[in-house]
Amino acid sequence: MVTESFLPSLNGVTTSVCRVAECLRQQGHKALIIAPSPAPTSFAGHPVRAVPAVPVRGFNAGVPTNTMIRALRDFKPDVMHVASPFLIGARGLHVAQDMGIPTVAIYQTDMPSYVEQHGPGAIGRGAAEIVWHWVRRMHSQANLTLAPSQPTLDELRMHGVPRTALWGRGVDTGLFHPEWRDEAGSVALRETLAPNGEVLLGYVGRLAPEKELHRLVEVASIPHTRLVLVGEGPSRADIGALLSEAVASRTGRPNLPPVFLGRRSGDDLARAYGAMDIFVHTGTKETFGQTLQEAAAMGLPVVAPARGGPVDLVDHGRTGHLFDPDVAGDLHRMTAPIVEDPVLRTSMGAAGMARVRERSWNALTEQLLEHYRSVADAPALARRSVA
C-alpha cells in the first residue's frame, strides 16, 4: 500500500488506508505500507516503510527514493494499492509497471479543483488542465482506478482516465453510533456548548480554503443555534473571525459565538459528534465525504452541497438536505427547517443510520479484495500492455 498520507497526519486518505489495513489483517492478508515520514514503524501488525518528506501547505509530501524499490523487492507483493497517488504514488505506479506488479489506484483527492481554487481566474483554470493531464497520465499506468462516488467516476471518465470502477468508503459503525448521545462525556459537552438548549450545527474536517467554510456564514444567522467546528488547519483564525462577526451582527438576540474543538479522533471525535444536532458540510470539491457517513452513522441529519461525493451520500428530503452552492442563501434555506423541527431531525437521522448500516469497512474491504483479484488474475501480457 503506497499512500501519499499516513499517520500521524489525520485526513480521509489516512483513515481509508488505516481501516483497510486493519481489515486485511483481520482477514489473514499481509501488507506493507509505504508512506511519507514521519510514520510509525508498523500499523495493525503490518510493517511501515517511511520515505523522506517535505512540508507543503500543512501536508507532508513524500519524496520518491530507492527505499520504495528495495522494500517492494523484499516484500514481493501480489498487488499494489496506491492511495490518492500524486508524488510517491506516481513513482510507485511506475516502479510496479517495471516490476510486473498489478496495481489498483484509489482516486481520492480532487487535486485539479484544489489547484483551480487557489489560482486566480484563467491561471487557475490553466493550472487545473495541466494537473488533469498529469492525473490522466499517472492513472493510465494503473491496471484499475477506483473512484469513491458516481460523480467522481463520471468526471474521471470525462477527462479520459481509462479502466475505472466504483468503490465507496466504509464507516466504522463500531465507533460511530447514536449511543454516544447518551454517554456522560457527550452529555456534559453538550451542556457546555448549548447552555440554553441551542441547536448545535456541527462541522468536522480540515479548516482550509478548499473546504469553503465561509459558506457557514449563512447558517450562523439561524436563531437559537450554535456552530461547532472540529478540526485544525490554516483557515482557523480567518474563519473564526468571519463567523464571530456574522453571529454578532445578527439582528435580535445574537447566537452564542462559534466554538472550535480542535483536532479529535477515536472516542473524542465520536463524543463530539454525539453532542451535535445537525451536521453541515460546505465543500463542493469532495470526491466522497467520509465525515458525512460518520455523522449519518451517529444518527445526525446531514446538509451538504449538491456537488460531488455528497450527492451519493445524502438522500435529499430523507436523510438530510442538499443545497445548491450557486444560489445565495440556499444553505440557510435547507438547514433552517431541520433546526426548527426536532421530529424531522429524528426521522432524518434514523433514515441516515439505516442507509450506512451496510457500509462497514469489512464489507468494503471485501469489495476491494475482489478488485485486487481482478487485476492480479489478469494475464501478465495484458498487465504489461498498460499504457
Side-chain angles (χ1 to χ4, degrees), residues 195-210:
N196 304 307
E198 288 86 357
V199 174
L200 297 180
L201 309 178
Y203 166 84
V204 176
R206 182 168 158 80
L207 308 181
E210 67 270 15

Side-chain angles (χ1 to χ4, degrees), residues 210-221:
E210 67 270 15
K211 299 300 182 181
E212 303 174 56
L213 293 169
H214 63 279
R215 297 180 186 276
L216 290 175
V217 166
E218 291 190 17
V219 295
S221 63

